Amino acid sequence: MDLKLSGHSAVVMGGSSGLGAGIARSMAAEGVHVYLISRNTEKLQHTAAQIQAEGGKATWIAADLSSLAGVQTAITTLQEHCNVIDIIIGNGGGPPPGPATSFDAALWKQQTEAMLLPVMSMTDAFLPAMRKQKFGRIIMVSSTSVAEPIPGLVLSNALRSALANWGKTLSREVGRDGVTVNTLMPGRFDTDRVAQLNQTRAQKQGISVAELRQQKENEIPVGRYGSPEEFGHMATFLASPLAAYVTGALIPIDGGLLRSL
Ligand SMILES: NC(=O)c1ccc[n+]([C@@H]2O[C@H](COP(=O)([O-])OP(=O)(O)OC[C@H]3O[C@@H](n4cnc5c(N)ncnc54)[C@H](OP(=O)(O)O)[C@@H]3O)[C@@H](O)[C@H]2O)c1
């Protein structure tokens, strides 16, 4: 199937590893010029080189997207590279775990800035050109916690729901301009972040990482973690002109993990 993506441009926030890198590699394989943004330059160089070795076009920009100043620097640099960005992938590191009973106002303020404002600011910068050209894609990497809040992850549960509803609202405002806005809900994927989380959990429970992984995989109907490539392919399809009729959607990619519809 020709996804008709060749020649398009995408900014992949948090594109140097994990799900972001999976998306970037998949899109680049379809002829999209991907602009990777994250903090660590070595990881950025590595992923950009991997994409280039696979025949794709990748440019990287080092920026810390957890503050508005960092996001603005990234936008300015991006605008020096290209006037139009066709696809925005809103992704990044996840928030720290914690229960709803321990309230820390400073942490909530900081995480609101880190989780909501980057994709909103990026959209604000590139949406007018998308609307003018009658094509644009905004895709958020979220979590199944939007549909089924996960115990002990109150920041993720609350802030990701806020972002998903921002996206839903936006999708209705820009639908007639050829711009779609969708939220992807990953379940459990093989990434650095999940490996780190599993190590911490295994230590807490006094079991091996392999045992913990087995427990987690047993909970997933397809019986395994997903790969970043599998995640990337779904994002790439949604980014394509072929997915023009999918907007305002919350899409689980979770091997059947969610119990509700
Ligand atoms: N993997 C899963 O199974 C899963 C499930 C549910 C939800 N999620 C969510 O999906 C998102 C991606 O997860 P992942 O597993 O792919 O994580 P990951 O492997 O840790 O990758 C995160 C990416 O974001 C970048 N990043 C982190 N903080 C940043 C910052 N302040 N500014 C710019 N870039 C930043 C990282 O690069 P640098 O560190 O170099 O900046 C990296 O490229 C997270 O929000 C996570 O909570 C993942």
Side-chain angles (χ1 to χ4, degrees):
M1 189 190 291
D2 175 9
L3 292 181
K4 301 186 184 345
L5 268 172
S6 189
H8 284 82
S9 55
V11 55
V12 185
M13 299 154 83
S16 66
S17 69
L19 301 180
I23 294 171
R25 287 180 64 197
S26 175
M27 284 191 182
E30 293 298 322
V32 176
H33 188 142
V34 292
Y35 293 85
L36 316 174
I37 307 181
S38 66
R39 294 164 302 181
N40 183 305
T41 51
E42 271 176 36
K43 282 200 296 183
L44 281 164
Q45 274 166 349
H46 171 81
T47 305
Q50 192 178 22
I51 289 170
Q52 285 153 6
E54 290 164 353
K57 287 186 185 149
T59 303
W60 58 267
I61 296 164
D64 184 346
L65 299 175
S66 66
S67 73
L68 261 183
V71 178
Q72 197 46 57
T73 303
I75 290 171
T76 307
T77 312
L78 207 45
Q79 284 167 335
E80 285 164 11
H81 285 283
C82 52
N83 297 325
V84 180
I85 285 287
D86 306 304
I87 303 157
I88 294 173
I89 303 296
N91 174 51
T101 42
S102 67
F103 176 62
D104 177 342
L107 181 65
W108 275 90
K109 268 182 91 170
Q110 180 212 10
Q111 286 300 317
T112 302
E113 181 166 349
M115 291 187 66
L116 305 191
L117 304 191
V119 68
M120 291 178 179
S121 305
M122 199 61 78
T123 300
D124 188 54
F126 293 105
L127 184 63
M130 287 181 180
R131 296 180 88 172
K132 203 168 161 199
Q133 69 174 7
K134 300 288 177 201
F135 180 86
R137 297 285 182 263
I138 297 157
I139 299 171
M140 263 95 58
V141 178
S142 182
S143 166
T144 53
S145 66
V146 172
E148 288 176 4
I150 300 170
L153 292 184
V154 71
L155 283 160
S156 172
N157 299 340
L159 294 176
R160 291 189 200 279
S161 297
L163 194 60
N165 272 306
W166 168 79
K168 184 76 181 166
T169 311
L170 179 64
S171 71
R172 297 186 67 93
E173 294 178 15
V174 298
R176 283 178 170 73
D177 297 328
V179 179
T180 67
V181 189
N182 290 294
T183 297
L184 297 178
M185 297 188 289
R188 291 180 192 144
F189 283 81
D190 253 325
T191 66
D192 292 348
R193 174 180 163 82
V194 168
Q196 276 165 14
L197 287 172
N198 281 356
Q199 206 154 13
T200 312
R201 285 180 187 136
Q203 259 167 10
K204 262 191 191 166
Q205 294 180 28
I207 57 174
S208 70
V209 174
E211 273 176 285
L212 184 107
R213 183 177 173 125
Q214 191 59 58
Q215 281 177 11
K216 295 278 175 199
E217 287 186 331
N218 288 344
E219 293 166 7
I220 304 169
V222 303
R224 62 173 178 83
Y225 284 10
S227 71
E229 289 72 26
E230 287 175 302
F231 192 82
H233 295 327
M234 179 59 118
T236 300
F237 173 70
L238 276 180
S240 76
L242 275 63
Y245 208 59
V246 184
T247 192
L250 261 178
I251 303 169
I253 311 179
D254 66 349
L257 183 67
L258 279 179
R259 287 172 188 272
S260 53
L261 287 175

